[in-house]
Amino acid sequence: MSRAERLAPARLSPSDVLRVGAAGLRTRPTRVILSALGIAIGIATMIAVIGISSSSQEQLLRQLDRLGTNLLSVSAGQTLFGEEAKLPTGAVGMVKRVGPVLTASATGAVEATVRRTDHIAKAVTGGIAVQAATTELLTTLEGSVVKGAWLNAATERQPAVVLGAKAAERLGITRTGVRVWMGNRWFTVIGLLGPMPLAPEIERSALVGFPAAEEHLGFDGHPTTIYERSTEEAVEAVRAVLPRTVNPENPEEVNVSRPSDALAARAAAAGAFTNLLLGLGAVALLVGGVGVANTMVISVLERRKEIGLRRSFGATRGQVRLQFLAESLLLSALGGIVGAVLGALATIGYALSRDWPPIVPPWAIGGAVAATLVIGTVAGLYPAMRAARLSPTVALATT
């Protein structure tokens, strides 16, 4: 056996590296916990932000799938002279004659207020609009009646009203059969509607039949908004012909929109806000990395004798460097695991409280693991190199 072979340093297996690195952390539990806490806060913030945003977007997508994207709304724009235009009284019938249209209905703004009693001032409206509605409205919007009944051929001619969800809440009405003051007479509440995400204006409205609105509230019969549903594949084609169908003489005075676009815009806005919060999480993660680096530098200064002793027993500079790098990685990994668990729990708890599907994207967990490894490597690199450069004699002589 040659002299070079006799002096060859012993190799450290991966398990040996982990055991030595973990032993270094166990000697300073309080400092380790505080250092790992910075990493945990950053990781938890980032995972919670991504998870909550993903859960919100999934809820919106499911809502879009349930409600459909084949609903279009038509409203009056402005005339050439800047005045408010009006839709023709027969516009709904003309829309129904378009081939791919499955159903069409309309509402019309009524210049009246709704109040619990006639003793309340007219100016106190509570943000509730009074609108005339055709009997097909609920079918077109795929809405639901939570109490009572919707307008029919008989009640649309009577002083009967159906309240949207928010309108009923603001009026403090929880049951049917009560009366409200509209215009200059009493109307009986015959129904309460559920939420309508594609038509939030209906949620804030008190709805009466077209004939009753004309007879009792001075309604002129012109629809304000027309809602129509067509087959999914024909939406764009129907959208193109609606202005000329509704108002053949002045199609430029007609506005056509797709209510589902508002939900898609909300998802996009949530994504933009997520990027801002991710930036804050990254800052917290950076602060945590600085804390790990500081802990490792102090550890090297405090453990000079240990380093000198290991070097005198034959440990190479590479093995000392590997030991402290392993400690840094384990410290960061500890914070990353705790942060991932906290972030996932926060996402699940918040999503369930809002009746959302809890979504924690696997790529977010993978990104968190990668981030902790990068932070651990960067934070431990300088302390590890500093420890490896210590001379055994100088380290052992340190008091």
Side-chain angles (χ1 to χ4, degrees), residues 38 97 121 158 162 197 222 224-225 239 262 264 267 269 282 316 319 332 367 378 395:
R97 286 195 287 271
Q158 304 300 321
V162 176
H222 288 275
T224 305
T225 304
R239 187 172 190 167
T316 64
Q319 290 173 343
S332 297
V378 173

Side-chain angles (χ1 to χ4, degrees), residues 54-309:
S54 299
S55 300
S56 174
Q57 291 179 351
E58 180 66 19
Q59 172 67 10
L60 288 175
L61 291 175
R62 291 187 182 184
Q63 200 172 48
L64 280 173
D65 290 340
R66 185 174 65 255
L67 299 173
T69 58
N70 61 337
L71 176 70
L72 295 177
S73 65
V74 181
S75 59
Q78 292 184 330
T79 66
L80 192 61
F81 302 101
E83 299 176 352
E84 187 176 347
K86 287 189 176 182
L87 299 178
T89 54
V92 178
M94 291 187 286
V95 171
K96 289 181 178 179
R97 286 195 287 271
V98 177
V101 172
L102 303 175
T103 177
S105 58
T107 59
V110 178
E111 294 184 1
T113 59
V114 54
R115 292 162 286 162
R116 284 301 301 268
T117 71
D118 55 343
H119 299 297
I120 299 175
K122 288 185 177 181
V124 183
T125 63
I128 304 172
V130 177
Q131 297 197 75
T134 59
T135 55
E136 298 93 343
L137 181 66
L138 200 64
T139 302
T140 305
L141 295 179
E142 295 184 358
S144 61
V145 179
V146 294
K147 288 186 180 179
W150 175 243
L151 298 168
N152 56 39
T155 55
E156 71 170 348
R157 301 180 178 279
Q158 304 300 321
V161 60
V162 176
L163 299 177
K166 293 189 182 298
E169 179 183 344
R170 292 172 184 176
L171 289 171
I173 295 177
T174 58
R175 58 185 179 88
T176 60
V178 300
R179 297 192 305 169
V180 293
W181 187 258
M182 296 175 59
N184 293 311
R185 65 165 300 154
W186 293 101
F187 276 67
T188 302
V189 177
I190 63 170
L192 303 177
L193 299 179
M196 291 191 178
L198 291 183
E201 65 277 5
I202 301 298
E203 297 180 355
R204 301 185 296 270
S205 298
L207 305 164
V208 299
F210 262 64
E214 294 175 4
E215 181 179 352
H216 303 296
L217 301 175
F219 178 52
D220 61 5
H222 288 275
T224 305
T225 304
I226 297 173
Y227 302 94
E228 72 81 30
R229 279 193 187 270
S230 57
T231 56
E232 291 280 357
E233 59 275 9
V235 171
E236 293 302 325
V238 172
R239 187 172 190 167
V241 302
L242 277 179
R244 192 165 294 279
T245 301
V246 171
N247 193 344
E249 296 182 358
N250 300 293
E252 71 280 355
E253 297 179 358
V254 178
N255 297 325
V256 181
S257 61
R258 183 156 60 174
S260 60
D261 290 344
L263 290 178
R266 279 174 54 193
F273 188 61
T274 297
N275 293 333
L276 174 62
L277 293 179
L278 280 177
L280 296 177
V283 171
L285 190 58
L286 178 62
V287 172
V290 172
V292 171
N294 182 61
T295 297
M296 295 308 300
V297 169
I298 294 175
S299 177
V300 170
L301 295 176
E302 290 179 343
R303 297 161 63 190
R304 287 184 176 183
K305 286 191 175 182
E306 175 192 332
I307 296 170
L309 189 61

